[in-house]
Amino acid sequence: MPSLPEIMHRAFFRALSLLSPAGQEVVLRRYFDWRHRVPDPWRLATDGYEQEKYRSTLRQLPARPYRRIIEVGCSEGVFTRALAAAYPEAEIIGVDVSERALARARRRVPEDGRVRFIRADILTHRAEPRFDLVFCSETLYYLGRHERLCRASAQLGGLLGPGGVLVAVHPWPEAARLHRYLDAHASLSRLTEQVHTACARPFAVTVYGTRPG
Ligand SMILES: C[S@@+](CC[C@H](N)C(=O)[O-])C[C@H]1O[C@@H](n2cnc3c(N)ncnc32)[C@H](O)[C@@H]1O
């Protein structure tokens, strides 16, 4: 059962998603700049639970020589730094709607040509379908209503190049609903899902591959 604060949180973001995509982006940008008025608002860099979640996510990735990685909703770059260490040859792009979060991400993982951070909204961002690893964690529940989740799924799937891998990580059991939008994407096929329940806040790591076109 979701808690009352969780129900109110989701209702708030569903209400925001009644705005046009451009209007939603403006409000999300302001909201997440405000949320990042203090460093690391979700304690991603220090909370043992978050660190363990990152480690189990990395363990679940199919072993491949990823060259082009994008992390959507990267916040202050905590997981981006882990990706940069795990794949030292890869070009890595972190995307977030909050410029304030990205200013801290750039201090955490200096942009050196290999790692870059871009301020953009996943719902409106235009990017080439050229990534061989797309990562989206703890972000889809901010996008709100059905139509925006369909759009987000199309956007995420559209980032993948041939043979690419997409990984989504969200709280369980809500992940079952959120990841269904990715299941519905014509060019994605689900490879694995691990549900981690032996922790205070259960979560699912779902891995997709591209269907041969
Ligand atoms: C809870 S944090 C998750 C950080 C990171 N993915 C992790 O799991 O450690 C969610 C992040 O998603 C970003 N975000 C929310 N909606 C977004 C959108 N529509 N486009 C891009 N980023 C978004 C927020 O600014 C915030 O930094």
Side-chain angles (χ1 to χ4, degrees), residues 45-207:
T46 52
D47 189 323
Y49 161 84
E50 300 294 343
Q51 301 301 308
E52 183 48 37
K53 190 159 58 151
Y54 295 147
R55 280 191 292 272
S56 23
T57 300
L58 286 172
R59 276 197 299 272
Q60 207 184 312
L61 296 185
R64 296 194 190 164
Y66 300 107
R67 294 285 175 195
R68 286 182 293 271
I69 301 175
I70 187 164
E71 185 195 358
V72 174
C74 65
S75 184
E76 299 183 7
V78 177
F79 188 65
T80 325
R81 184 167 63 184
L83 285 169
Y87 300 102
E89 305 297 322
E91 170 198 350
I92 300 178
I93 298 184
V95 174
D96 202 280
V97 76
S98 162
E99 188 52 56
R100 194 175 269 171
L102 294 178
R104 295 205 189 99
R106 291 185 182 104
R107 286 199 288 276
R108 179 169 275 120
V109 197
E111 289 178 303
D112 57 1
R114 182 172 88 86
V115 179
R116 280 188 300 134
F117 292 98
I118 297 175
R119 203 216 65 80
D121 182 334
I122 180 55
L123 292 171
T124 50
H125 183 50
R126 298 238 174 276
E128 294 289 303
R130 60 188 200 95
F131 294 94
D132 48 25
L133 178 59
V134 174
F135 188 81
C136 180
S137 164
E138 304 285 348
T139 300
L140 288 178
Y141 45 69
Y142 294 118
L143 303 183
R145 64 189 165 98
H146 173 79
E147 185 266 332
R148 297 297 150 84
L149 285 164
C150 293
R151 189 188 277 248
S153 147
Q155 288 278 94
L156 290 170
L159 292 169
L160 282 174
V165 168
L166 187 152
V167 182
V169 183
H170 290 94
W172 184 262
E174 188 180 21
R177 177 182 72 84
L178 295 171
H179 296 180
R180 260 204 298 275
Y181 288 90
L182 297 166
D183 293 331
H185 190 289
S187 67
L188 295 176
S189 74
R190 193 185 269 227
L191 300 178
T192 61
E193 178 169 80
Q194 268 182 25
V195 180
H196 299 257
T197 52
C199 51
R201 284 166 281 151
F203 61 96
V205 179
T206 312
V207 178

